[in-house]
Amino acid sequence: MLSVQIFGVKNSQETRAAERFFKERSVTIHFVDLKQKPMAPGEIKRFIERFGLAGLVDREGKAYVDAGMKYLKLSDSDLLTRIERDPKLLKLPLVRGANRLSVGKDEDSWQAMLAGAPK
């Protein structure tokens, strides 16, 4: 039986869409509210290795624009620190199922997680 881990925030439409997608398919969900608990360094590293730090940041999002980050040159460590403080800077949700990862609302990736799951 497949279970997925969803990293997001409760008031994010995209996070709720991921929860709904997997619940409708009877998949066990382990939700991590990034406002309550930041991602473990090893976990965020997995996503960075797969997508790159730039691929995780929502450069069009309200949090990014409101923080004035469009005009800042930040090192990766500074950017990671800001992400820990404000998870809405990420393209949410981050989803891990088995050995597959996805960033943002990506139903094709979620479907692939289900297809690759052991029966």
Side-chain angles (χ1 to χ4, degrees), residues 97-117:
N99 60 350
R100 295 178 186 261
L101 303 172
S102 74
V103 173
K105 186 176 178 187
D106 185 353
E107 290 192 19
D108 291 338
S109 286
W110 302 342
Q111 202 66 48
M113 285 178 195
L114 297 176

Side-chain angles (χ1 to χ4, degrees), residues 50-102:
R50 172 80 164 76
F51 300 101
L53 186 56
L56 299 180
V57 176
D58 185 2
R59 297 186 188 282
E60 304 302 316
K62 182 175 174 12
Y64 190 86
V65 173
D66 289 352
M69 292 177 64
K70 281 191 173 204
Y71 309 104
L72 296 177
K73 271 280 201 212
L74 296 173
S75 69
D76 285 356
S77 64
D78 289 340
L79 187 53
L80 277 171
T81 301
R82 283 187 178 237
I83 287 169
E84 282 180 16
R85 282 193 310 238
D86 187 1
K88 288 187 175 183
L89 294 171
L90 292 168
K91 291 178 187 170
L92 295 176
L94 303 179
V95 180
R96 179 169 59 88
N99 60 350
R100 295 178 186 261
L101 303 172
S102 74

Side-chain angles (χ1 to χ4, degrees), residues 1-3 20-29 114:
M1 184 74 178
L2 177 70
S3 72
R20 195 169 37 255
F21 177 89
F22 289 108
K23 279 181 183 172
E24 288 172 355
R25 289 153 182 84
S26 302
V27 174
T28 304
I29 298 169
L114 297 176

Side-chain angles (χ1 to χ4, degrees), residues 32-52:
V32 178
D33 187 345
L34 295 175
K35 282 189 175 180
Q36 306 294 320
K37 180 182 176 203
M39 288 178 81
E43 197 69 60
I44 191 82
K45 184 178 178 218
R46 240 184 243 141
F47 282 91
I48 291 170
E49 285 173 354
R50 172 80 164 76
F51 300 101

